[in-house]
Amino acid sequence: MNLIRRTLSSLAVAALVVGTAIAQQTPPKPVPVPRPAVPEAPVPPPPDVDGKSWVLMDYATGQVLASKEPDMRVEPASITKVMTDYVVSAEIANGKIHMADPVNISENAWRSGGAGTDGSTSFLKLNSQVPLKDLLYGMIIQSGNDAAIALAEHTAGSETAFANLMNAYAKQLGMTNSNFQNASGYPIANHYSTARDIALLSRALIHDFPEDYAISAVKDFEWNGIKQHNRNLLLWRDNTVDGIKTGHTAAAGFCLAASAKQGDSRMIAIVMGASNEKARADAALALMNYGFRFYETHKLYDGNKPLATPKLWKGQSNQLPLGVADNVLVTVKRGDYDKLKATMDVPATLIAPFTKGQQVGTLRVTLDGQPVQNVPLVALADAPQAGFFGRLWDSIMLWFHSDKKPDEKK
């Protein structure tokens, strides 16, 4: 009987061990089912929109993503007022004029841009005084020609002098194909700009004077008991749009400088010479949506961080840290980021002294062999000369470093 019990007990232990062993076994992993490869999403060409010329620009980088006749000189009509706005904002920032200044409405402003004309007006009263801030609102929102002329006269003493100021600022901004003769955009000989130049100007206005730029998002403004709506239809159609300015004359056609922001991205679309008011709005919105959908911006390098430390001759230090002054951003079609290539052009022999911020070379970013960005490589620190014996020693060593005797900096 005891033998039977022991046998049964042994069988129970064995069964428990076997059961435990079975329980601890890892079940077989399921065999993954191969998934079909997802094809790379193609990027279509830009939309064929209404307009004699147009530009789509990425705000962050200033790159022109798509264009049609971007450098064709055209009449800018009231898009001119973006330049007037920029000049007035710059002069305010420089302390030359002030938002609270009372501005006299001269006979010239009243007669050339007032209610008696066939152009857009803020209905300013002759010989009245209007705060400069209200004139800015009237010019930007109502597109008042009288407001633009009054601002020009207050800023520079006369509209002619103001036009010279407009051209001086345009030159600073790199607007190489623009010439302004008045502040309002009223048709006159030798008054012209281009879609590319207006895009450069728009980007500068947004960047340099964001508070003044915000006025262009205001939908209506009332002065002298007359309420007028902003002529930019996109402010009502898309809440990401926050500017910039419309323009129209019989010769110029329907023009629109527009900008919209989605997340961290901002696009600028300039449409010149569209066939009607709706067409210019449709064109600008289609271009900006194309940019948001099919392009992306990447940061390649941080500003003020060394990208290279080449050998420095005749300096107190043996190396010169080189980098870029600001972050390097590039905007490319979605899927093209891995195709970017960057090279640095730096002289083979660097001889002290160098000062911090001095350009030493160029960082070149290309895509499929085409230039995307060319950025100055600058010295990130001062690099003074070594003493007499240090320079003498490096002069000797340079004979062995190069077959040609280097030019020595005195």
Side-chain angles (χ1 to χ4, degrees):
M1 195 68 168
N2 291 335
L3 177 62
I4 293 173
R5 288 196 187 98
R6 285 197 296 272
T7 302
L8 290 174
S9 176
S10 298
L11 289 173
V13 170
L16 179 62
V17 170
V18 170
T20 302
I22 293 173
Q24 290 178 344
Q25 287 182 0
T26 303
K29 294 181 179 180
V31 178
V33 178
R35 304 176 72 177
V38 178
E40 184 176 330
V43 175
D48 183 18
V49 300
D50 190 337
K52 294 178 182 177
S53 64
W54 51 261
V55 159
L56 172 64
M57 175 181 282
D58 174 69
Y59 168 77
T61 62
Q63 291 173 233
V64 173
L65 307 182
S67 64
K68 173 186 174 182
E69 301 289 351
D71 299 313
M72 181 174 69
R73 293 179 176 179
V74 295
E75 293 187 31
S78 281
I79 300 289
T80 298
K81 295 182 176 97
V82 180
M83 187 77 243
T84 302
D85 184 17
Y86 186 90
V87 174
V88 171
S89 298
E91 294 296 287
I92 291 173
N94 290 329
K96 304 290 182 62
I97 54 178
H98 306 87
M99 278 286 197
D101 286 353
V103 179
N104 182 63
I105 307 306
S106 69
E107 182 174 353
N108 178 47
W110 174 77
R111 191 175 299 280
S112 301
T117 67
D118 60 355
S120 52
T121 179
S122 291
F123 297 98
L124 303 175
K125 293 182 179 180
L126 175 63
N127 294 327
S128 64
Q129 288 195 328
V130 180
L132 188 149
K133 180 179 179 180
D134 290 328
L135 290 178
L136 270 178
Y137 274 71
M139 179 183 72
I140 297 168
I141 301 167
Q142 301 173 334
S143 197
N145 292 331
D146 48 358
I149 297 169
L151 284 168
E153 292 176 341
H154 180 75
T155 302
S158 70
E159 191 173 9
T160 300
F162 186 82
N164 292 333
L165 200 55
M166 295 170 77
N167 290 322
Y169 275 105
K171 185 177 181 180
Q172 285 186 6
L173 296 174
M175 299 170 64
T176 57
N177 282 300
S178 295
N179 189 70
F180 298 99
Q181 296 287 337
N182 60 47
S184 65
Y186 192 82
I188 188 173
N190 208 34
H191 184 95
Y192 56 82
S193 189
T194 68
R196 187 194 303 274
D197 279 2
I198 296 299
L200 289 172
L201 170 63
S202 300
R203 182 175 183 245
L205 178 67
I206 297 168
H207 178 271
D208 297 347
F209 309 111
E211 292 183 1
D212 292 341
Y213 169 70
I215 298 173
S216 66
V218 178
K219 293 182 177 180
D220 53 60
F221 180 66
E222 181 177 327
W223 185 259
N224 198 17
I226 301 172
K227 187 176 182 178
Q228 298 186 66
H229 296 290
N230 196 316
R231 291 167 172 78
N232 185 356
L233 297 180
L234 294 183
L235 296 177
W236 284 267
R237 288 174 53 181
D238 191 317
N239 61 12
T240 68
V241 176
D242 55 13
I244 307 170
K245 187 72 187 72
T246 62
H248 170 254
T249 65
F254 289 83
C255 309
L256 175 60
S259 183
K261 186 176 182 183
Q262 293 186 10
D264 293 330
S265 297
R266 177 182 285 280
M267 294 289 163
I268 296 170
I270 311 299
V271 177
M272 309 298 287
S275 57
N276 57 63
E277 189 175 20
K278 181 178 182 299
R280 71 184 176 189
D282 291 345
L285 190 59
L287 289 172
M288 291 189 292
N289 284 339
Y290 173 78
F292 287 128
R293 172 62 182 84
F294 295 109
Y295 283 81
E296 56 190 4
T297 299
H298 298 269
K299 182 172 74 171
L300 299 186
Y301 302 103
D302 290 316
N304 294 310
K305 289 189 177 180
L307 297 180
T309 51
K311 168 70 177 175
L312 178 65
W313 298 90
K314 302 185 182 182
Q316 293 181 10
S317 173
N318 292 326
Q319 292 180 323
L320 179 64
L322 299 180
V324 289
D326 301 304
N327 295 343
V328 177
L329 305 175
V330 295
T331 301
V332 293
K333 292 179 181 177
R334 296 189 184 277
D336 278 357
Y337 175 71
D338 292 336
K339 302 176 185 177
L340 291 171
K341 293 183 179 180
T343 58
M344 291 186 290
D345 291 345
V346 180
T349 304
L350 298 176
I351 301 175
F354 290 96
T355 57
K356 183 178 180 180
Q358 179 181 343
Q359 182 173 352
V360 179
T362 303
L363 173 69
R364 304 187 190 279
V365 182
T366 60
L367 176 65
D368 295 332
Q370 299 300 312
V372 176
Q373 288 273 38
N374 289 330
V375 185
L377 277 173
V378 300
L380 297 181
D382 290 334
Q385 284 185 329
F388 173 77
F389 289 105
R391 298 198 308 274
L392 178 61
W393 175 255
D394 275 3
S395 293
I396 296 171
M397 296 302 296
L398 275 167
W399 283 97
F400 300 96
H401 177 72
S402 174
D403 293 332
K404 182 186 290 186
K405 185 177 179 180
D407 294 331
E408 181 173 348
K409 291 187 179 182
K410 303 287 185 178

